[in-house]
Amino acid sequence: MGSEAEIVRKPRFLCLHGFRTSGAILKKQIETKWPQSVLEKIDLVYPDAPFPAEGKSDVEGIFDPPYYEWFQFNKEFTIYTNFDECLAYIEDIMIKQGPFDGLLGFSQGAILSAGLPGLQAKGVALTKVAKIKFLIIIGGAKFRSESVAEKAYSPPIQCPSIHFLGDTDFLKPHGLKLLESFVDPVVIHHPKGHTIPRFDDKGLETMLSFLERIQKMLTEKQENELHCKEGALEA
């Protein structure tokens, strides 16, 4: 058991920030609002998106620049610009700073995070990295581009996921629609709007239960891999 105990590690998440914000802003939001009892159970990495903001940020005056965006879109959100470049950029980060077990996303980052496992399963994104196993989605929605959406959500996404839905979030109807594309999603409702929420007692219990479940899955996977290696060495 000694060697097995040593290899157990926390689930590692690549964290994708919101539109025209930054990795540093998302880090500050999460680390000031989430308790240590949650943060100590996961490893979080906060990159900046590839493109400098091409317009005004909603967080100007609240958080300092610079601000970044993952990709651009038309006013109907149906045509994307630099989307393939964005996917390649995320894959490059996952190669250089990985391995990662899951994705955490907020707003534009949540839309990306929720859609990437399906795109990966179809072989159109993240083909050079390990399968995304877990998702934490905050203020999410579905891709509105038909060509992207048809690949992202069919068949339904199987990986364990937890979704934060704010009662006054303008994206809440879209977040509810997103849930239909997941198998057994876990949901935390909160009274706030489009933001990283704090936990109430029920939400914290739900989050800790989810983290315990994915840690167990990860530990079992690591132990199985170790046994396979030991078996191969003995053979």
Side-chain angles (χ1 to χ4, degrees), residues 137-151:
I137 304 298
I138 309 163
K142 295 176 82 165
F143 288 123
R144 297 278 290 277
S145 162
E146 284 187 22
S147 62
V148 178
E150 67 184 12
K151 298 183 186 77

Side-chain angles (χ1 to χ4, degrees), residues 84-133:
D84 289 341
E85 290 82 352
C86 166
L87 299 183
Y89 176 84
I90 292 171
E91 182 173 62
D92 192 53
I93 291 172
M94 294 180 82
I95 291 168
K96 290 177 178 173
Q97 298 185 42
F100 291 96
D101 303 298
L103 299 173
L104 178 154
F106 171 64
S107 196
Q108 190 185 36
I111 294 170
L112 265 172
S113 296
L116 278 169
L119 296 179
Q120 186 183 41
K122 286 276 183 13
V124 295
L126 309 184
T127 57
K128 300 173 187 170
V129 294
K131 182 180 172 184
I132 297 165
K133 295 186 278 295

Side-chain angles (χ1 to χ4, degrees), residues 5-6 34 91 98 129 149 192:
E6 285 164 22
W34 287 9
E91 182 173 62
V129 294
K192 299 292 187 181

Side-chain angles (χ1 to χ4, degrees), residues 38-77:
V38 169
L39 296 174
E40 69 187 10
K41 291 178 171 58
I42 43 181
D43 282 329
L44 304 175
V45 176
Y46 300 91
D48 293 324
F51 303 104
E54 294 187 1
K56 185 174 171 59
S57 170
D58 288 343
V59 301
E60 277 182 33
I62 305 168
F63 295 103
D64 293 333
Y67 311 122
Y68 301 91
E69 52 199 48
W70 294 100
F71 57 92
Q72 297 80 38
F73 40 82
N74 64 346
K75 40 177 214 249
E76 290 81 28
F77 304 102

